[in-house]
Amino acid sequence: GAGVSQSPRYKVAKRGQDVALRCDPISGHVSLFWYQQALGQGPEFLTYFQNEAQLDKSGLPSDRFFAERPEGSVSTLKIQRTQQEDSAVYLCASSQGTTGFDTGELFFGEGSRLTVL
Amino acid sequence: QQPVQSPQAVILREGEDAVINCSSSKALYSVHWYRQKHGEAPVFLMILLKGGEQKGHEKISASFNEKKQQSSLYLTASQLSYSGTYFCGVIIQGAQKLVFGQGTRLTINP
């Protein structure tokens, strides 16, 4: 497709379950970001990939959160032993260039809404 | 490191103007503005680069004061379609991540 695709769009998990959220960025985009957005808040940075390299994971809230992008395209965000505070919309974004001074437009997916009961 | 936006919310009538401010305590490479409508993905509006270059589209303008690490987004003659939450994002010098503010909710009434 032409845009960033995320799946599933909605996920309900029982506390303690593991979840996996998938992001399919725009073809050829080098940079990929994951953000967590709580209701009524701004997107909070989780992690950043440049191709397959995870260059920044400073925003991951705990070691229960893990992200990968093994072939430099599709990325998966995994959350182990989910807790109620993990409930949020998880946004994926991609951009054509590398980040820093040359960061251009980020293209966001519609997000995966995770509800932990 | 999160930039601070003000005001938190604005209510306007169609045709009125609005200014949204964004400030950072750190030296910045760039400031980015996005708009998000309820239940949708954030959509890019504009980038302002260190050195004064401005990029964007739509009939919305912005400024970037590098000395003060502040940016302002100007929406003139607002239209109903401008409603949504506006986020500024900043890239701090030496960093690689885009960090967003808490957002400014803009409501345009007919």
Side-chain angles (χ1 to χ4, degrees):
Chain A
V4 177
S5 177
Q6 291 188 245
S7 61
R9 290 291 316 280
Y10 303 93
K11 176 69 178 178
V12 178
K14 289 185 178 180
R15 191 174 58 178
Q17 284 184 332
D18 298 348
V19 300
L21 308 176
R22 176 189 167 104
C23 172
D24 205 334
I26 293 173
S27 178
H29 276 195
V30 170
S31 295
L32 187 145
F33 301 80
W34 283 99
Y35 288 88
Q36 180 190 61
Q37 188 173 29
L39 190 64
Q41 301 296 313
E44 287 204 20
F45 172 84
L46 293 177
T47 187
Y48 161 64
F49 290 87
Q50 187 177 115
N51 295 309
E52 69 279 3
Q54 189 175 21
L55 298 186
D56 190 331
K57 55 181 182 179
S58 61
L60 297 176
S62 75
D63 58 7
R64 296 186 297 104
F65 286 71
F66 172 77
E68 60 182 5
R69 193 186 185 197
E71 297 179 358
S73 55
V74 171
S75 177
T76 304
L77 177 67
K78 298 179 179 178
I79 309 172
Q80 297 177 323
R81 305 182 302 281
T82 53
Q83 299 177 6
Q84 286 189 323
E85 58 263 31
D86 299 337
S87 295
V89 175
Y90 290 85
L91 294 167
C92 175
S94 69
S95 69
Q96 197 165 17
T98 58
T99 65
F101 186 75
D102 295 328
T103 299
E105 176 179 355
L106 264 63
F107 294 84
F108 281 86
E110 293 189 324
S112 293
R113 181 179 295 276
L114 172 64
T115 302
V116 182
L117 302 177
Chain B
Q1 292 185 350
Q2 184 182 40
V4 176
Q5 288 185 234
S6 62
Q8 289 188 329
V10 182
I11 300 175
L12 299 176
R13 290 201 168 188
E14 196 174 6
E16 292 181 336
D17 301 340
V19 179
I20 300 171
N21 300 302
C22 173
S23 65
S24 172
S25 59
K26 304 279 189 180
L28 303 175
Y29 273 148
S30 57
V31 179
H32 305 232
W33 287 96
Y34 285 77
R35 177 173 62 212
Q36 185 177 32
K37 293 185 180 285
H38 184 69
E40 299 180 8
V43 174
F44 170 80
L45 294 175
M46 188 168 299
I47 290 176
L48 300 107
L49 305 176
K50 181 176 181 292
E53 184 178 0
Q54 178 174 316
K55 302 179 184 178
H57 53 84
E58 293 194 24
K59 297 178 181 179
I60 296 173
S61 63
S63 63
F64 179 20
N65 185 324
E66 296 171 39
K67 283 188 177 180
K68 293 185 177 181
Q69 309 306 326
Q70 294 176 346
S71 177
S72 294
L73 186 72
Y74 305 96
L75 301 102
T76 56
S78 58
Q79 306 170 16
L80 293 176
S81 62
Y82 286 5
S83 290
T85 301
Y86 288 77
F87 294 101
C88 73
V90 300
I91 296 185
I92 295 166
Q93 287 187 26
Q96 294 177 302
K97 59 187 179 186
L98 183 61
V99 179
F100 288 95
Q102 78 277 23
T104 296
R105 175 176 286 183
L106 178 64
T107 303
I108 310 293
N109 294 317

